[in-house]
């Protein structure tokens, strides 16, 4: 442990010395950076395509469409793709359920509601006639 403490003290001294003498960029480097920045700024200004010898068209602002708004509200393309795939999987399982799903559903329902409950008389989507006859 004592060796590690001594090594850490040596490292602390090296880091302290490095903090005291911060490197300064040379004047040549700063001049190259400034020249590059001025060149890029000139290329990006509308109407001056200096690098390619042609005028760049002005930027057009497009309004976001309805689907872009919905996608942004839901969390982006990934969230929309996840919701779409879950919806399609639900529709697929709803229209053509696997063979063992009915048995599993019945066993779970009987364990929760009791053994005398049957799913045959259960109407999950009642018609309007059923609602009207039970109300009156």
């Amino acid at each position: 442990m004592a060796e590690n403490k001594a090594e850490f003290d040596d490292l602390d001294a090296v880091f302290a010395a490095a903090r005291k003498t911060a490197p300064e960029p040379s004047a040549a480097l700063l001049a190259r950076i400034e020249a590059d920045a001025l060149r890029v700024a000139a290329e990006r200004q509308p109407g001056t395509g200096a690098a390619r010898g042609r005028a760049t068209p002005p930027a057009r602002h497009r309004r976001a469409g309805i689907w872009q708004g919905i996608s942004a509200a839901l969390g982006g393309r990934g969230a929309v793709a996840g919701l779409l795939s879950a919806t399609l999987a639900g529709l697929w399982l709803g229209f053509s359920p696997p063979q063992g799903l009915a048995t599993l559903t019945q066993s779970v329902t009987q364990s929760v509601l009791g053994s005398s409950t049957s799913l045959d008389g259960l109407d999950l989507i009642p018609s309007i006639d059923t609602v009207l006859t039970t109300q009156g």
Side-chain angles (χ1 to χ4, degrees):
M1 187 73 181
E3 288 180 12
N4 290 339
K5 174 84 170 120
E7 289 175 8
F8 285 134
D9 289 341
D10 292 342
L11 278 176
D12 288 339
V14 169
F15 289 141
R19 273 189 231 105
K20 287 180 184 176
T21 57
E24 293 292 327
S26 66
L29 175 65
L30 291 176
R32 287 193 312 254
I33 291 173
E34 182 181 9
D36 190 36
L38 290 174
R39 181 187 55 82
V40 170
E43 287 176 1
R44 289 190 178 189
Q45 286 194 358
T48 60
R52 296 188 179 132
R54 60 179 177 200
T56 39
R60 293 185 302 170
H61 296 288
R62 284 184 38 187
R63 277 186 14 180
I66 183 108
W67 293 112
Q68 287 176 339
I70 291 172
S71 174
L74 291 175
R77 291 180 179 173
V80 172
L83 286 172
L84 181 64
S85 61
T87 302
L88 291 177
L91 284 173
W92 181 20
L93 289 175
F95 281 115
S96 62
Q99 190 65 22
L101 188 61
T103 307
L104 175 69
T105 305
Q106 188 170 9
S107 66
V108 168
T109 305
Q110 286 177 354
S111 68
V112 172
L113 299 177
S115 61
S116 63
T117 306
S118 173
L119 292 178
D120 296 333
L122 183 62
D123 192 11
L124 295 177
I125 305 175
S127 65
I128 190 67
D129 295 334
T130 309
V131 174
L132 291 177
T133 56
T134 58
Q135 296 289 331

